Amino acid sequence: MENAVNKRILDLCKERGYTIYRLSALSGIPTSTITSILKRNNAPTLPTLQKICKALDLTLAQFFSEGFDTLTPSQSEYLTEFNRLTAHERELVLAYIRGINDSRTDLPESSRS
């Protein structure tokens, strides 16, 4: 029976389009270690889980939360797609969004929508 921590790791990797190899590269944890944890169904140590969370761009609190139940379906879709981007792509997207929002602050409120 798969433990909840390992299931969450696998679900998050799938959600982001990450392979075990990519998770290994991003976390600095050897692929063999990640594979061993998942195949033997052992929960990772806290330091290992912290590295995995960092690679998944999550805090430990976010990792252990049940999800983002307060998000609308479109917000959830945006977040899912955003999480699949590389760090550089995320920076570009955020710069683009900030640019849109900054340009909107120059408009009178009546023309914002």
Side-chain angles (χ1 to χ4, degrees):
M1 185 170 161
E2 189 174 54
N3 73 47
V5 172
N6 290 356
K7 181 177 181 339
R8 179 85 165 130
I9 292 169
L10 291 170
D11 289 347
L12 289 165
C13 283
K14 183 178 179 181
E15 193 177 285
R16 287 162 171 72
Y18 288 8
T19 63
I20 298 302
Y21 301 105
R22 183 162 184 197
L23 182 62
S24 170
L26 293 171
S27 66
I29 300 168
T31 304
S32 59
T33 301
I34 294 172
T35 302
S36 178
I37 289 167
L38 297 175
K39 281 191 176 184
R40 293 183 183 169
N41 204 29
N42 297 327
T45 63
L46 187 56
T48 299
L49 186 55
Q50 287 174 315
K51 289 178 185 178
I52 290 170
C53 285
K54 186 173 181 180
L56 294 169
D57 197 28
L58 295 171
T59 65
L60 281 171
Q62 289 170 319
F63 180 87
F64 286 108
S65 73
E66 288 299 314
F68 300 97
D69 296 336
T70 59
L71 297 179
T72 66
S74 63
Q75 289 171 327
S76 181
E77 182 180 3
Y78 286 126
L79 185 58
T80 297
E81 293 304 321
F82 183 81
N83 286 333
R84 295 182 64 204
L85 301 174
T86 65
H88 177 70
E89 291 167 337
R90 288 178 185 181
E91 289 175 25
L92 293 173
V93 168
L94 284 173
Y96 178 74
I97 292 169
R98 288 180 183 131
I100 290 171
N101 286 328
D102 289 347
S103 69
R104 295 178 83 208
T105 59
D106 297 336
L107 299 173
E109 274 193 52
S110 60
S111 61
R112 293 183 202 170
S113 51

